């Protein structure tokens, strides 16, 4: 009787995970999180010193602007700069770095040098939502369209549709997004006057207040239409080509042949067997693309005058506003690192063939 009780006690519960697998999973997750924090720290340090390698400093840039625009003497411009800036260009880089790290530890990104009293966090909060709105929606549209068209190209490979779409995808994918934006503005906005470029500037029309209403949403989509179209057109080709390649490879797998031999319908095979497995390689790319949503709009927003985070970053570079520069680049870094971390941790959940233990090996 005692032996039976001992056996019952030692028997593991059904559905419980082995302790070794749980501990290895925990070590893997903790290791990835630690690496992510170390990466953010290293990049944040590099950002601090790299922005200070730009020629000139905020004070010099401001003085030169005052002399060029208003005809001030150097002394007058220097006196104006002294009353405006709290930045001391003669302070050692090491002390500036310590102040920078101290602010980061407290969650403080600092105050804009050229907008006294305006925190970097508030400026980023005012511009970032518009970039997330335009680039995020464009990314989802291009991803969904790319999957559908890519599968159609794979099933019709070698035909006219496949050749035509491959040519279009190769051309659009090879054109830089800012160059395409410039071409659209020049040809369709200036030459043909089909697009009211002047009215489409900004994130929303003057006099319109941000609110959750159909009128405001339609106005926001109107102003974001051009950058969104550019993002979709330049990224769609990549998703199409990758999905086509992955689908063609999946069609040659044994389980697809077995499914056809079992007499399953083509629709079920396309969705449950081909489409689901062909999308797995695109999953990581899509999650990583989410990380680049913040930083992938710098030149496009400047060209189209869409006031998102890229527009603010360009202005900060022109004016050498160090805190704003550092804050935006840090946000971009964090978004990319987190996207890599999420993709790494979730891929094993999406693809049952991948296991964390195999990665550790």
């Amino acid at each position: 009787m005692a032996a039976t009780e001992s056996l019952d006690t030692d028997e593991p519960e059904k559905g419980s995970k082995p302790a070794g697998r749980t501990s290895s999973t925990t070590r893997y997750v903790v290791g990835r999180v630690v690496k992510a924090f170390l990466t953010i720290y290293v990049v944040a340090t590099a950002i601090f010193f790299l922005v200070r390698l730009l020629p000139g400093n905020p004070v010099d840039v401001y003085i030169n602007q005052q002399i060029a625009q208003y005809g001030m003497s150097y002394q007058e411009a220097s006196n104006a700069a002294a009353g405006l800036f709290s930045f001391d260009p003669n302070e050692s880089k090491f002390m500036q770095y310590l102040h920078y790290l101290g602010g980061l530890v407290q969650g403080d990104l600092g105050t804009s040098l050229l907008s006294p009293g305006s925190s970097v966090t508030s400026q980023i909060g005012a511009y970032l939502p518009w970039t997330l709105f335009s680039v995020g929606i464009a990314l989802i549209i291009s991803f969904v369209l790319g999957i559908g068209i890519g599968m159609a190209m794979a099933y019709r490979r070698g035909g006219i549709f496949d050749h035509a779409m491959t040519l279009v995808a190769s051309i659009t994918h090879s054109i830089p997004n800012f160059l395409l934006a410039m071409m659209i503005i020049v040809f369709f906005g200036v030459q043909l006057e089909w697009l009211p470029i002047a009215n489409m500037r900004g994130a929303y029309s003057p006099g319109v207040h941000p609110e959750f209403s159909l009128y405001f949403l339609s106005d926001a989509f109107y102003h974001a239409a051009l950058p969104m179209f550019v993002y979709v057109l330049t990224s769609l080709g990549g998703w199409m080509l990758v999905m086509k390649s992955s689908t063609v490879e999946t069609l040659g797998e044994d389980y697809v042949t077995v499914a056809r031999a079992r007499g399953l319908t083509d629709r079920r095979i396309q969705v449950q067997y081909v489409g689901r497995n062909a999308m797995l390689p695109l999953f990581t790319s899509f999650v990583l693309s989410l990380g680049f949503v913040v930083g992938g709009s710098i030149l496009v927003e400047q060209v189209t005058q869409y006031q998102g985070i890229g527009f603010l970053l360009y202005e900060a570079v022109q004016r050498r506003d160090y805190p704003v520069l550092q804050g935006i680049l840090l946000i971009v870094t964090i978004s990319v690192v987190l996207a890599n971390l999420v993709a790494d941790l979730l891929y094993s959940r999406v693809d049952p063939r991948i296991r964390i233990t195999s990665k550790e090996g």
Side-chain angles (χ1 to χ4, degrees):
M1 190 69 175
T4 304
E5 292 179 355
S6 176
L7 289 174
D8 293 340
T9 304
D10 295 337
E11 183 180 357
E13 297 180 2
K14 292 183 179 181
S16 62
K17 295 182 179 179
R21 181 179 298 179
T22 302
S23 61
S24 63
T25 302
T26 303
R27 288 197 302 270
Y28 175 79
V29 173
V30 171
R32 286 295 184 268
V33 172
V34 171
K35 287 182 180 179
F37 276 103
L38 287 177
T39 302
I40 293 174
Y41 166 74
V42 172
V43 176
T45 300
I47 289 172
F48 174 84
F49 291 102
L50 286 176
V51 297
R52 283 160 177 76
L53 293 179
L54 292 172
N57 57 62
V59 177
D60 294 335
V61 171
Y62 179 81
I63 290 175
N64 292 332
Q65 288 179 346
Q66 297 301 307
I67 294 175
Q69 295 179 4
Y70 303 105
M72 291 185 178
S73 64
Y74 181 84
Q75 187 60 42
E76 291 175 340
S78 299
N79 294 334
L84 175 65
F85 289 95
S86 59
F87 171 74
D88 183 8
N90 298 320
E91 186 180 18
S92 66
K93 296 294 189 296
F94 180 72
M95 293 304 299
Q96 294 181 36
Y97 177 66
L98 291 182
H99 295 155
Y100 170 65
L101 289 183
L104 291 184
V105 171
Q106 301 175 15
D108 182 15
L109 298 179
T111 304
S112 171
L113 296 179
L114 298 176
S115 301
S118 177
S119 67
V120 174
T121 304
S122 64
Q123 289 199 14
I124 293 177
Y127 286 86
L128 181 58
W130 303 112
T131 296
L132 296 178
F133 171 74
S134 60
V135 185
I137 294 178
L139 175 61
I140 295 174
I141 293 175
S142 64
F143 181 73
V144 173
L145 290 178
I147 288 176
I149 299 175
M151 283 192 66
M153 292 166 61
Y155 275 94
R156 295 169 174 81
R157 58 187 181 278
I160 297 177
F161 179 79
D162 177 29
H163 291 307
M165 289 296 99
T166 301
L167 178 62
V168 172
S170 301
I171 294 175
T172 57
H173 186 60
S174 62
I175 301 177
N177 51 16
F178 69 91
L179 181 58
L180 179 61
M182 293 175 61
M183 294 170 58
I184 293 175
I185 291 175
V186 171
F187 288 107
F188 295 98
V190 178
Q191 298 293 334
L192 300 178
E193 297 183 355
W194 289 357
L195 294 177
I197 300 299
N199 296 332
M200 298 176 70
R201 293 181 178 180
Y204 50 89
S205 301
V208 176
H209 300 286
E211 59 184 5
F212 191 75
S213 64
L214 182 60
Y215 176 74
F216 172 73
L217 290 177
S218 62
D219 185 75
F221 271 106
Y222 172 76
H223 286 269
L226 180 55
M228 285 174 60
F229 177 76
V230 171
Y231 298 141
V232 170
L233 200 59
T234 53
S235 61
L236 177 61
W239 297 121
M240 290 165 53
L241 296 176
V242 174
M243 186 61 184
K244 173 194 170 182
S245 176
S246 181
T247 303
V248 170
E249 182 180 353
T250 304
L251 286 172
E253 295 289 343
D254 293 338
Y255 56 81
V256 177
T257 304
V258 172
R260 287 171 175 166
R262 290 171 56 192
L264 298 180
T265 63
D266 290 339
R267 178 67 177 175
R268 184 176 178 183
I269 294 175
Q270 290 177 9
V271 175
Q272 296 187 2
Y273 289 83
V274 179
R276 180 181 300 177
N277 291 284
M279 283 180 57
L280 291 177
L282 280 75
F283 171 77
T284 304
S285 299
F286 178 75
V287 176
L288 294 178
S289 298
L290 293 177
F292 287 96
V293 164
V294 178
S297 59
I298 299 174
L299 295 178
V300 173
E301 290 184 351
Q302 179 60 30
V303 171
T304 60
Q305 291 294 292
Y306 184 76
Q307 295 181 354
I309 199 68
F311 182 87
L312 178 63
L313 178 60
Y314 183 86
E315 294 295 319
V317 172
Q318 292 295 103
R319 303 189 299 175
R320 305 297 190 273
D321 198 338
Y322 291 160
V324 176
L325 265 174
Q326 294 166 177
I328 296 176
L329 294 178
L330 182 61
I331 295 297
V332 173
T333 300
I334 293 175
S335 63
V336 173
V337 171
L338 288 181
N340 276 274
L341 178 62
V342 171
D344 205 11
L345 297 179
L346 290 184
Y347 192 71
S348 61
R349 298 289 183 180
V350 176
D351 190 350
R353 298 169 296 180
I354 305 298
R355 288 292 179 263
I356 290 178
T357 53
S358 67
K359 291 182 180 180
E360 286 189 312

